[in-house]
Amino acid sequence: MAPCSEELIDELGLSKGGMTLVDTARAQELYDAMGPAREISGGSAANTLAGLSALGAQCAFIGQVADDQLGEVFAHDIRAVGIDFDTPPRRGDPPTARCLIFVTPDAQRTMNTFLGASQYLPPATLDAEAVAAAKILYLEGYLWDPEEPRAAMRRAIEAARAAGRKVAFTLSEVFVIERHGDDFRALIDDGLIDILFANHLELAALTGENELEAGLAALKDKVPTLVVTCSADGATALSGGERARVSAEPIDQVVDTTGAGDLFAAGFLYGHVNGEPLATCLRRGAIAAAEVISHYGARPEADLQKLMDERLTG
């Protein structure tokens, strides 16, 4: 990831603030156009688990990297924060996935993702015992696009359901809903999603309702726990007939919005698995999101446990 000007976004024809899938050639073209950059481990679900682990939760990650340098870096980084990661690396091409992120002066992140090896996560690598042992199975919409990880996620949902565990799903991005919205709506209608995370744009894309209240109304009876973030306007959650709302947590400066949704999910899920009130879960999400947008990168740098203790009791 690297800072860039608004002009470079236009020059490269990027979709500002969104996420676009790119091939090898386009990834190289964008990397060549970048200024001095930082290489930081990421990945939507991996970022969420990093936040959860920082708060003291026991987590395991299932995802595919290649047998290459970036794969080794990713594996090291995720294990270094206390997360179990046992998926064997994949030999040969394509290489480990990477996301080229351009950050404009207004702190908006524009992501360009080369899925690489991540799109070849085979269902056979799924650790069904780990899924069955977890309180919550957390899935990211980004990887619903490729066939193999989609099959792996369906199998994971079956394993979680068979064990009586909850399934949490993040919609990830509007373009994913445009491609796979029918699948997501079917999962919801079949009662397979217990906790759904979306931002207001994703909610509109999924429900066809542009107004927040209408979108919430469309899903409130279909999803046991619905969490919708609205950027600087805070977040709303509906669960078991209860409704809660939280304002965005104040910070001195927004530096980089990468990972805001990922860390919001981390804070919320930590509160949820510990049986905290809905409003407290939202507040934890807001605090975690505020921390991650105060610096570059999508994983927490501050002591999240200490930060939450201070702000929740202050």
Side-chain angles (χ1 to χ4, degrees):
M1 61 192 315
C4 78
S5 65
E6 298 281 355
E7 290 75 20
L8 185 59
I9 296 289
D10 294 336
E11 180 184 326
L12 294 172
L14 302 179
S15 177
K16 183 181 174 181
M19 197 283 270
T20 304
L21 295 179
V22 298
D23 59 16
T24 306
R26 178 62 166 164
Q28 187 60 54
E29 176 189 354
L30 295 177
Y31 186 58
D32 290 343
M34 267 188 162
R38 306 182 189 189
E39 290 185 359
I40 308 169
S41 282
S44 178
N47 295 335
T48 298
L49 291 195
L52 277 161
S53 183
L55 288 169
Q58 182 179 357
C59 305
F61 178 74
I62 300 172
Q64 189 67 67
V65 297
D67 186 13
D68 58 15
Q69 183 180 15
L70 285 185
E72 290 178 7
V73 170
F74 178 89
H76 168 271
D77 287 353
I78 201 164
R79 290 170 182 149
V81 295
I83 298 170
D84 294 337
F85 176 47
D86 299 320
T87 311
R90 187 177 187 271
R91 295 187 178 279
D93 289 330
T96 294
R98 72 283 316 268
C99 185
L100 301 165
I101 305 175
F102 294 79
V103 183
T104 41
D106 60 357
Q108 276 293 327
R109 91 289 186 269
T110 299
M111 302 190 297
N112 303 272
T113 303
F114 170 62
L115 289 174
S118 70
Q119 62 193 310
Y120 297 101
L121 173 70
T125 63
L126 184 72
D127 187 341
E129 290 186 4
V131 172
K135 288 185 178 180
I136 294 178
L137 168 70
Y138 181 71
L139 305 170
E140 63 171 85
Y142 284 128
L143 277 186
W144 200 264
D145 205 54
E147 181 179 351
E148 284 193 84
R150 182 168 65 249
M153 286 193 280
R154 287 192 181 278
R155 183 171 169 184
I157 291 172
E158 292 174 2
R161 283 287 168 203
R165 303 305 189 180
K166 290 183 178 181
V167 176
F169 194 93
T170 178
L171 291 173
S172 293
E173 190 72 44
V174 168
F175 93 88
V176 180
I177 301 167
E178 291 171 348
R179 292 167 67 96
H180 300 289
D182 288 344
D183 274 359
F184 298 160
R185 285 183 280 270
L187 290 173
I188 291 168
D189 290 343
D190 291 342
L192 298 178
I193 304 299
D194 299 289
I195 306 170
L196 182 67
F197 291 96
N199 65 31
H200 62 292
L201 298 176
E202 294 157 4
L203 180 70
L206 185 70
T207 63
E209 301 285 355
N210 289 325
E211 294 295 326
L212 176 64
E213 291 302 323
L216 292 171
L219 291 181
K220 69 180 179 65
D221 296 325
K222 296 182 178 182
V223 180
T225 300
L226 173 63
V227 184
V228 180
T229 58
C230 299
S231 189
D233 293 326
T236 298
L238 304 175
S239 183
E242 180 185 358
R243 176 173 178 146
R245 184 188 176 279
V246 67
S247 299
E249 196 73 10
I251 62 171
D252 292 334
Q253 181 183 4
V254 179
V255 175
D256 168 27
T257 55
T258 310
D262 301 337
L263 269 293
F264 191 99
F268 185 93
L269 289 172
Y270 181 80
H272 183 83
V273 297
N274 285 288
E276 295 182 339
L278 191 62
T280 304
C281 296
L282 281 178
R283 184 81 194 283
R284 285 190 181 276
I287 293 169
E291 190 284 333
V292 84
I293 65 175
S294 68
H295 58 76
Y296 277 102
R299 296 191 182 178
E301 292 183 355
D303 184 332
L304 278 187
Q305 286 180 309
K306 181 180 178 182
L307 187 63
M308 291 196 180
D309 288 344
E310 292 172 349
R311 297 200 178 182
L312 289 173
T313 59

